[in-house]
Amino acid sequence: MRLPSMSSLHRIAVALLLSLAPSAALATDLRIYPAFTEVQQPASQTLTFPFAQWRWIQPSSFSVMGPTPPTLSWQPAELDWLRTQEGQQVSWMQAGQPAVQAVLSRADDLLIQLSTGEYINVQRNELAFSEKPPVQGGMTLRLGSVNPAKSSTLIYRTQALFWTPRYELTLNGSAANLAALAQITNQSDQVFTAGKVDLFGGSVQQQNQAFPAPVMANAGTVSSTNVGGGTFALPTIPGAGNQVRSVGEVRGLQRYALPGGLTLGRGEGRTLPFLKPQVKDFLRYAYVQAYFDAQNRSGQASRRYKFTSSQSLPTGVVDVRENGVLVGSLQLPAVQAGKAVDLDLGTDAELRYEKTVKRTGIEKDAKGQVLSTTSQVTYLFVSTKTAATQVNVREQVYGRSVSVNGQAVQNGQVIVYRQVNVPAGGKASLTFKLKLVN
């Protein structure tokens, strides 16, 4: 019986260690964005990612912050184990064919030698082994020139973890309250644990960041250029109990901190309150937007809510409730502190309008060519609502020159704004005249 060499024993030990690699992310810091998470953890010379973790990682996002730019390379974690099988008997299994006995000649490209002495490259799923192989799909990352005595940080992005802002706008009479929630989702089979967690709201563009293929891939090598100041450093946040805190703005992104860290299990989601903005200047109103032409039209006004937030808010879904009843769920655009935001909750079947256009004058030159036309536009609103409603009308007029109600002529596009209060269960109208100069 031939005893394995010392190098073979070493490879076997490595393979066993890889097979026992945990599925939890060894992250010390997490920066969670709406579409991905940036993981920062101490760099080591070798790190294995199980398939449950690797399948969500963006391979081209790997970089290292430290005193020396290392070379990064990755290869299938199973490759170390396969190398221990070189020279061993394997079975080549093809669909619909009997098993063929062979010897694994070279693991890197799955080259086998048949009993006839011939060589052929095969697929991994066509090989059967006499001992149990490790789980497929994992990847081993190796960092060259990393000195364990010197502090270096490995950085990469994963799409397994992300967060979504959510809002609840509750209305009761003239009172309006807005609650902001942070919904953090782990859509993977790994566990995330971090002592420092930041949430970032806003848009971060990414290019060429496709998922890694969920199959055994060729080894890759890149050189890290993200050294020292490669990423901007964020200021330290003073402790603030257990509440999610707004830290401020970073290059157009809103930053929030989760004191106390975070542990999120496999497939787990968590919703946390993260802001308490004050609502000011709240207004319920109806809205009609139209483009001027000579046709009579009718329709329904849309329901609108307008307010100002005391804090800037990242975009997210907002649920709107009136006296506890859900009246709308829609996308809240990114809100700047102190700037009014308009929410369109859809049409209001209880508030209809009829628009009539009547030509009241026409001006021609000596040759009979039309120089200008004057029209009267009338909106009649009919309400079956139980409360009076303010209606805002926006009429967009196109013409070379336009005059509204005999005022000074304006060139090009003109927007006419009008407002009327419609009583509960009643009617109201508004009228304006337009002169279009050819």
Side-chain angles (χ1 to χ4, degrees), residues 347-366:
T347 58
D348 189 342
E350 303 295 327
L351 184 57
R352 303 187 62 86
Y353 70 88
E354 293 184 0
K355 173 187 172 183
T356 58
V357 180
K358 181 180 180 181
R359 181 171 292 179
T360 59
I362 183 169
E363 183 181 358
K364 300 181 179 180
D365 62 11

Side-chain angles (χ1 to χ4, degrees), residues 82 106-112 120-124 127:
L82 284 171
R106 190 168 58 223
D108 289 40
D109 57 351
L110 297 179
L111 181 70
I112 64 173
I120 186 172
N121 295 99
V122 298
Q123 299 296 318
R124 170 62 185 85
L127 291 181

Side-chain angles (χ1 to χ4, degrees), residues 42-350:
S44 58
Q45 291 182 333
T46 302
L47 183 65
T48 296
F49 297 92
F51 175 69
Q53 189 173 346
W54 177 258
R55 67 188 293 257
W56 300 103
I57 290 174
Q58 300 171 355
S60 58
S61 68
F62 281 110
S63 62
V64 175
M65 285 197 304
T68 305
T71 297
L72 292 83
S73 64
W74 58 86
Q75 67 180 35
E78 189 190 26
L79 186 56
D80 284 318
W81 180 84
L82 284 171
R83 286 170 177 162
T84 68
Q85 301 299 302
E86 290 179 352
Q88 302 296 318
Q89 289 285 332
V90 294
S91 297
W92 180 23
M93 316 287 289
Q94 292 180 287
Q97 301 292 327
V100 176
Q101 297 303 307
V103 173
L104 181 62
S105 178
R106 190 168 58 223
D108 289 40
D109 57 351
L110 297 179
L111 181 70
I112 64 173
Q113 184 181 20
L114 305 178
S115 59
T116 60
E118 297 172 305
Y119 292 88
I120 186 172
N121 295 99
V122 298
Q123 299 296 318
R124 170 62 185 85
N125 58 4
E126 296 175 342
L127 291 181
F129 300 90
S130 58
E131 61 181 85
K132 186 177 180 180
V135 177
Q136 295 185 58
M139 297 292 282
T140 296
L141 179 72
R142 288 186 171 89
L143 281 64
S145 305
V146 171
N147 187 346
K150 296 183 179 180
S151 176
S152 296
T153 302
L154 176 67
I155 301 174
Y156 61 91
R157 293 192 288 276
T158 174
Q159 290 169 281
L161 188 67
F162 59 91
W163 84 288
T164 305
R166 281 183 46 211
Y167 303 95
E168 294 180 355
L169 179 62
T170 55
L171 310 169
N172 191 351
S174 59
N177 294 289
L178 182 65
L181 307 171
Q183 183 171 308
I184 306 173
T185 302
N186 177 9
Q187 60 183 349
S188 72
D189 292 331
Q190 71 179 98
V191 178
F192 284 92
T193 299
K196 180 181 178 183
V197 180
D198 289 332
L199 306 180
F200 287 87
S203 176
V204 176
Q205 294 186 359
Q206 298 187 89
Q207 295 183 0
N208 302 323
Q209 299 293 349
F211 291 141
V215 295
M216 188 168 165
N218 294 327
T221 302
V222 296
S223 178
S224 173
T225 57
N226 196 359
V227 183
T231 60
F232 59 83
L234 296 176
T236 302
I237 306 165
N242 295 319
Q243 275 197 338
V244 178
R245 294 189 58 224
S246 174
V247 182
E249 178 262 352
V250 181
R251 303 291 177 88
L253 304 177
Q254 291 90 37
R255 180 188 174 209
Y256 312 95
L258 276 68
L262 175 72
T263 295
L264 207 60
R266 301 171 179 176
E268 185 180 351
R270 190 172 303 173
T271 301
L272 306 170
F274 80 110
L275 284 179
K276 293 183 179 179
Q278 299 298 313
V279 175
K280 301 179 181 178
D281 306 322
F282 176 76
L283 174 67
R284 296 179 186 85
Y285 72 101
Y287 184 74
V288 174
Q289 177 173 296
Y291 298 90
F292 174 77
D293 58 25
Q295 302 298 316
N296 295 334
R297 302 186 183 279
S298 62
Q300 299 172 344
S302 63
R303 296 173 295 145
R304 292 288 185 104
Y305 291 159
K306 187 176 183 180
F307 64 89
T308 300
S309 170
S310 62
Q311 294 178 279
S312 294
L313 306 173
T315 183
V317 173
V318 55
D319 291 340
V320 183
R321 296 182 182 275
E322 287 262 12
N323 299 319
V325 177
L326 181 67
V327 295
S329 182
L330 64 154
Q331 192 73 17
L332 178 75
V335 176
Q336 187 176 12
K339 187 175 181 180
V341 59
D342 246 322
L343 298 181
D344 186 349
L345 279 73
T347 58
D348 189 342
E350 303 295 327

Side-chain angles (χ1 to χ4, degrees), residues 376-395:
Q376 178 174 287
V377 181
T378 301
Y379 280 88
L380 174 64
F381 295 95
V382 179
S383 172
T384 54
K385 301 175 72 66
T386 57
T389 307
Q390 175 184 310
V391 180
N392 293 352
V393 176
R394 182 183 188 271
E395 186 91 8

